[in-house]
Amino acid sequence: MDCGEGAQGRFVKFGLGLNREMLVLITHLHGDHVNGLLGLLQTMGMSQRIRTLTIVAPKELFDWLKMTMEVLHIGLTFEVGFVPVRSGVVFRGKDFKVRATRARHSIDSWAYVFEELPRPGVFDTKKALSLGIPEGKKWSSLQHGRGVVVNGVRIRPNQVLGPPRKGRSIGYSGDTRPTRRLARFFSGVDLLVFESTYGSKDAEMAVERKHSTALEAATLAEEAGVHRLVLTHFSARYRRPDPLVREARKVFPETVAARDGLVIEIPALQ
Ligand SMILES: [Zn+2]
Ligand SMILES: [Zn+2]
């Protein structure tokens, strides 16, 4: 989600792997959100990436990338798939999808939600045995949502599976004012990463420059009923993000500040 300057260095430093299945989601075309992209692509090329890399972004990004790569004679070892961003589902993976909606910034800007697809319910082994289904292949079929026949009787997966389990979700705002549309869009996500450029004393500047304050991010998180909030994109005027986090926690206690290498685990719901 966005690719600021030096992204490829962080990839290497934190051992994220440059040939993994990967999707790049760009919110808008301000330098602090895209300046790392070219370096990341080149580093992937140098490490002999072969998997296709898909980039979802405002379509002008592709003109810029294409032209820059031509001028600099950059050849890549892998395909780059471009998906121009629009409202709705912008990408479907094997077990997840990504949705986008418009944000409100000084230029065209978008927000994303990464969503795991619902997972099948818990398999009830006692029930399976009581129905006379032998352990093995038939159990596995049912666990994967396929019906089986036992002694001439058809058994449907919902006879032995609990209710489907909700997948996990992560929302990402990019640069934006808080809006009602975003509050609806991020409704109930497990983790919301929201920009928090300013503190309350600079609230006017947030309005003027189309950014958000920590308090506004927290208020939106509360409204949207998200589980956890990560603040990011702090203005360089603040030496440390702590006062901003404190302001946010008054409204939304489950708030932390983002930093390089921060790992947050989102437990799978049972
Ligand atoms: Zn911006
Ligand atoms: Zn920015």
Side-chain angles (χ1 to χ4, degrees):
M1 292 167 168
D2 282 334
C3 196
E5 195 169 323
Q8 88 269 31
R10 310 297 205 288
F11 256 82
V12 174
K13 182 175 171 193
F14 294 111
L16 293 175
L18 291 158
N19 196 20
R20 302 219 297 208
E21 203 177 314
M22 207 184 299
L23 183 64
V24 178
L25 307 170
I26 300 289
T27 59
H28 67 297
L29 303 190
H30 276 157
D32 54 327
H33 298 254
V34 295
N35 281 347
L37 201 49
L38 207 59
L40 183 66
L41 293 179
Q42 268 195 298
T43 308
M44 283 174 170
M46 283 188 285
S47 52
Q48 303 299 311
R49 180 184 176 92
I50 46 171
R51 285 176 200 251
T52 297
L53 180 80
T54 302
I55 303 176
V56 183
K59 66 175 186 330
E60 293 77 11
L61 179 92
F62 310 137
D63 305 333
W64 169 69
L65 264 186
K66 219 175 135 228
M67 185 186 288
T68 311
M69 286 173 55
E70 266 170 36
V71 172
L72 300 184
H73 305 285
I74 297 173
L76 297 175
T77 52
F78 55 96
E79 295 283 324
V80 178
F82 289 131
V83 178
V85 61
R86 57 180 170 76
S87 279
V89 175
V90 287
F91 190 85
R92 283 178 204 276
K94 192 164 55 71
D95 46 14
F96 70 92
K97 65 179 176 185
V98 176
R99 293 186 291 119
T101 198
R102 268 184 198 284
R104 187 181 296 162
H105 191 37
S106 53
I107 57 167
D108 190 35
S109 194
W110 298 80
Y112 293 99
V113 168
F114 173 95
E115 248 171 26
E116 253 182 345
L117 300 180
R119 294 169 312 136
V122 178
F123 186 76
D124 187 338
T125 51
K126 274 193 200 141
K127 193 82 182 286
L129 291 170
S130 75
L131 289 167
I133 311 165
E135 196 174 342
K137 237 172 131 187
K138 290 195 170 160
W139 281 27
S140 150
S141 293
L142 288 161
Q143 278 164 338
H144 288 94
R146 290 187 300 272
V148 297
V149 176
V150 178
N151 303 326
V153 181
R154 177 130 200 108
I155 293 172
R156 285 170 284 111
N158 64 9
Q159 289 177 264
V160 289
L161 294 180
R165 289 169 287 177
K166 188 177 163 280
R168 292 163 288 185
S169 53
I170 302 170
Y172 176 62
S173 70
D175 292 0
T176 186
R177 292 289 302 144
T179 66
R180 302 202 55 166
R181 181 205 295 252
L182 287 178
R184 278 197 305 274
F185 182 65
F186 292 131
S187 172
V189 297
D190 293 293
L191 187 76
L192 175 60
V193 182
F194 207 94
E195 77 121 295
S196 158
T197 311
Y198 298 108
S200 293
K201 68 174 169 40
D202 298 311
E204 263 173 45
M205 211 169 315
V207 175
E208 214 172 282
R209 302 193 180 166
K210 303 280 196 295
H211 283 291
S212 299
T213 65
L215 187 61
E216 286 171 330
T219 306
L220 187 141
E222 168 68 25
E223 258 174 52
V226 312
H227 293 232
R228 286 204 262 176
L229 173 65
V230 178
L231 299 179
T232 188
H233 201 274
F234 306 108
S235 160
R237 71 185 53 228
Y238 311 111
R239 284 203 13 246
R240 296 178 57 81
D242 308 33
L244 277 69
V245 173
R246 274 200 295 277
E247 284 180 12
R249 279 186 182 160
K250 282 185 193 147
V251 173
F252 194 81
E254 289 299 309
T255 305
V256 294
R259 59 179 156 73
D260 279 357
L262 174 66
V263 175
I264 296 179
E265 228 167 286
I266 307 174
L269 295 175
Q270 290 302 319

